[in-house]
């Protein structure tokens, strides 16, 4: 009996916001685990000594093991947990549930000040009792969990460099001791496709190289899916073997690690106005386009500001949207400067700067903002003589503060704001 398996790596997004809410410091790379288990004296003799599973959290910053976290398992009559290692065992004084039972595993910081909110991560375990004979006759349960969700955060900052790379454990495919429940059985796994990104070590799946959401997104398949194939071969004897497969969804988390950039190679924009007169909400020149490699969801807190506008003439009208015409979803921001009131120009050129900034970016390397230097060249010959004779009609406002240090901040039309 043989079948083929496809492992889909789905690229999703996670946002780490360091200023507006508590950062997501750690995560479980394996969650929502479901498995069948014979519950009897034989399984207790095995799994009270050899762990059924081990779940540990990784740091979002570098995908390294978060050694300063402890683990707890809600009180139950079947399983217990090693609070330091995250290993899960059967109790020696177990009581079997009558049907499927779900238990919650929680990770929390070892040292947490009393006055601070507790940052915790969770995963769920669902155990379904099954008779031993039925379990061993199906055999597939020896190879794989009934189901599980796998996640890996993209490589970040210096950890993208090959000399910093260390393989990251995404998760186990099953309990490594499950085969001991069924006599005279051995297992072999093979990764038949996807070996450029992943590697199998016994029943555990690791990353083979650094993973960049922006580079991989849409590279090999539409909608950001990478394909791999895993086969589990169960050997019953020298002549009798069976092969099983399982489809997995491995989520690659996008970090907000790219700042906005101007679409044009030059940051200088010159616009020519035929009339010195203007009205509120009129467009002032053409649009300025910014691009960002991160997805729109990761860019939920892009902000915009006008600087050096001594007469207070302009306001930014910016719209962020996601484009995926290249097969790699990214963010495009279209910014139109509009007049904030009615008035008249009496000087030329009149220059301002338009800045797009991402205050929640997690990168310490990439620029957080991009600035367009916009100059308006006005035809003052059409200014009426009576207007020319008037004294300065546009009084200076109070000294302008840095826009990001004050409440005068503009989000885009979708309500994105600081």
């Amino acid at each position: 009996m043989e079948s083929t398996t496809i492992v889909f790596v789905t690229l999703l997004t996670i946002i780490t916001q360091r200023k507006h809410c508590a950062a997501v410091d750690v995560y479980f790379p394996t969650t929502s685990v479901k498995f069948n288990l014979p519950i009897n004296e034989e399984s207790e003799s095995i799994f009270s000594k050899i762990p059924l599973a081990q779940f540990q959290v990784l740091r979002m910053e570098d995908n390294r093991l978060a050694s300063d976290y402890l683990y707890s398992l809600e009180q139950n009559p079947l399983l217990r947990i090693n609070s330091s290692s995250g290993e899960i065992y059967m109790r020696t004084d177990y009581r079997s549930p009558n049907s499927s039972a779900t238990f919650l595993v929680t990770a929390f910081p070892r040292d947490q000040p009393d006055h601070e909110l507790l940052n915790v991560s969770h995963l769920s375990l669902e155990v379904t009792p099954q008779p031993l004979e039925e379990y061993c006759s199906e055999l597939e349960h020896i190879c794989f969990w009934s189901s599980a969700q796998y996640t890996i955060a993209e490589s970040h900052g210096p950890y993208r460099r090959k000399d910093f790379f260390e393989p990251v454990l995404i998760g186990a495919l099953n309990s490594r001791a499950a085969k001991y429940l069924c006599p005279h059985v051995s297992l072999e796994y093979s990764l038949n496709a996807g070996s450029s990104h992943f590697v199998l070590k016994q029943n555990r799946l690791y990353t083979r190289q650094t993973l960049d959401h922006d580079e991989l997104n849409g590279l090999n398949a539409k909608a950001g899916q990478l394909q791999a194939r895993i086969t589990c071969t169960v050997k019953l004897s020298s002549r009798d073997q069976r092969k099983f497969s399982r489809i997995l969804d491995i989520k690659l988390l996008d970090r907000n690690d790219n700042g906005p950039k101007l679409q044009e190679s030059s940051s200088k924009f010159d616009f020519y106005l035929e009339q010195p007169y203007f009205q509120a909400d009129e467009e002032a020149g053409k649009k300025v386009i910014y691009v960002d490699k991160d997805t729109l969801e990761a860019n939920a807190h892009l902000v915009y500001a006008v600087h050096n506008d001594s007469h207070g003439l302009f306001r930014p009208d910016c719209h962020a949207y996601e484009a995926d015409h290249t097969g790699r979803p990214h963010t495009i921001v279209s910014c139109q400067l509009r007049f904030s009131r009615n008035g008249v120009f009496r000087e030329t050129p009149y220059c301002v700067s338009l800045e797009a900034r991402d205050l929640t970016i997690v990168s310490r390397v990439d620029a957080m903002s991009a600035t367009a230097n916009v100059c308006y060249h006005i035809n003052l010959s059409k200014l009426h003589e009576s207007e020319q004779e008037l004294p300065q009609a546009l009084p200076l406002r109070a000294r302008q503060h840095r826009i990001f240090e004050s409440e005068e901040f503009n989000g885009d039309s979708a309500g994105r704001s600081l």
Side-chain angles (χ1 to χ4, degrees):
M1 176 180 176
E2 183 173 353
S3 58
T4 304
T5 182
I6 300 292
V7 180
F8 292 96
V9 182
T10 305
L11 307 179
L12 293 186
T13 302
I14 191 167
I15 306 171
T16 303
Q17 301 174 5
R18 298 188 180 277
K19 186 167 183 176
H20 309 285
C21 63
V24 180
D25 297 320
V26 298
Y27 70 100
F28 280 107
T30 305
T31 57
S32 302
V33 179
K34 299 179 181 180
F35 60 95
N36 290 18
L37 180 68
I39 301 176
N40 53 29
E41 291 183 2
E42 185 172 356
S43 60
E44 183 274 327
S45 67
I46 297 172
F47 294 119
S48 63
K49 303 176 180 64
I50 304 175
L52 266 166
Q54 182 179 27
F55 303 105
Q56 296 177 308
V57 289
L58 304 179
R59 295 194 178 280
M60 277 295 302
E61 181 179 7
D62 54 16
N63 276 333
R64 304 289 176 87
L65 181 65
S67 57
D68 55 343
Y69 272 67
L70 297 175
Y71 304 91
S72 68
L73 178 67
E74 62 181 297
Q75 189 65 31
N76 70 91
L78 180 62
L79 305 176
R80 62 180 178 85
I81 193 169
N82 183 313
S83 61
S84 297
S85 67
E87 294 173 315
I88 296 176
Y89 300 85
M90 274 189 67
R91 291 180 173 276
T92 54
D93 58 345
Y94 72 91
R95 293 199 310 274
S96 177
N98 297 324
S99 59
S100 296
T102 301
F103 311 111
L104 200 65
V105 178
T106 302
F108 56 93
R110 186 184 301 270
D111 298 314
Q112 183 82 19
D114 294 337
H115 63 279
E116 291 187 10
L117 293 176
L118 199 65
N119 285 333
V120 296
S121 296
H122 306 281
L123 71 85
S124 61
L125 292 177
E126 183 177 323
V127 183
T128 300
Q130 186 177 28
L132 180 60
E133 291 184 3
E134 183 179 324
Y135 180 88
C136 290
S137 65
E138 293 181 1
L139 291 178
E140 187 175 2
H141 297 302
I142 305 175
C143 289
F144 301 103
W145 306 118
S146 299
S147 67
Q149 295 180 5
Y150 299 95
T151 303
I152 184 68
E154 69 169 336
S155 305
H156 170 54
Y159 300 100
R160 290 180 178 177
R161 292 166 40 187
K162 291 183 178 180
D163 54 335
F164 272 84
F165 173 73
E166 292 183 4
V168 179
L169 173 62
I170 298 174
L173 302 177
N174 75 326
S175 173
R176 64 185 176 89
K179 61 184 179 181
Y180 299 132
L181 290 171
C182 308
H184 312 299
V185 168
S186 63
L187 302 181
E188 287 185 3
Y189 291 95
S190 59
L191 183 61
N192 306 115
S195 57
S196 58
H197 303 302
F198 306 105
V199 62
L200 276 174
K201 297 180 181 179
Q202 296 181 347
N203 71 327
R204 294 187 170 195
L205 186 65
Y206 292 81
T207 57
R208 181 183 288 275
Q209 63 176 12
T210 59
L211 299 175
D212 188 326
H213 183 278
D214 307 319
E215 294 295 328
L216 295 175
N217 196 7
L219 185 63
N220 290 39
K222 194 173 182 179
Q225 288 185 339
L226 300 177
Q227 293 187 348
R229 184 168 59 246
I230 295 176
T231 300
C232 173
T233 302
V234 182
K235 294 185 177 181
L236 302 173
S237 66
S238 58
R239 295 184 178 181
D240 187 7
Q241 63 181 31
R242 302 181 190 180
K243 295 187 178 182
F244 300 94
S245 62
R246 183 60 58 86
I247 295 176
L248 307 175
D249 288 324
I250 303 174
K251 302 175 185 178
L252 180 59
L253 305 180
D254 184 23
R255 300 177 190 272
N256 185 15
D257 55 1
N258 293 284
K261 299 181 184 299
L262 285 165
Q263 187 179 55
E264 302 295 330
S265 57
S266 174
S267 63
K268 184 171 174 53
F269 295 79
D270 291 292
F271 299 133
Y272 296 86
L273 304 180
E274 287 298 316
Q275 291 288 342
Y277 303 96
F278 54 85
Q279 293 183 339
D281 295 328
E282 280 186 341
E283 294 182 356
K286 297 182 179 180
K287 293 178 180 178
V288 177
I289 306 299
Y290 299 88
V291 295
D292 191 308
K293 288 183 179 180
D294 294 317
T295 58
L296 183 62
E297 186 177 357
N299 281 315
H301 289 270
L302 280 173
V303 295
Y304 319 91
V306 179
H307 303 297
N308 304 320
D309 185 8
S310 57
H311 296 319
L313 303 184
F314 301 106
R315 65 174 179 85
D317 181 14
C318 298
H319 301 254
Y321 60 94
E322 188 166 274
D324 61 356
H325 56 277
T326 62
R328 298 179 178 182
H330 57 283
T331 301
I332 294 179
V333 180
S334 173
C335 280
Q336 175 69 66
L337 283 176
R338 295 183 180 273
F339 291 107
S340 59
R341 58 187 176 84
N342 299 339
V344 57
F345 282 107
R346 291 186 175 83
E347 60 183 84
T348 186
Y350 187 86
C351 299
V352 298
S353 58
L354 173 63
E355 182 179 13
R357 173 171 289 213
D358 188 347
L359 295 182
T360 62
I361 194 170
V362 299
S363 172
R364 296 183 177 89
V365 179
D366 294 339
M368 295 171 59
S369 66
T371 300
N373 299 304
V374 182
C375 282
Y376 293 92
H377 304 269
I378 304 101
N379 184 358
L380 295 181
S381 66
K382 296 186 178 182
L383 193 64
H384 297 157
E385 290 184 6
S386 60
E387 295 283 350
Q388 292 178 356
E389 293 173 356
L390 289 174
Q392 178 67 41
L394 297 174
L396 292 175
R397 291 187 172 186
R399 182 176 66 87
Q400 297 292 306
H401 298 282
R402 284 288 295 170
I403 198 72
F404 301 108
E405 297 172 356
S406 73
E407 69 281 358
E408 298 183 36
F409 178 79
N410 295 273
D412 65 23
S413 62
R416 302 172 187 277
S417 61
L418 185 64

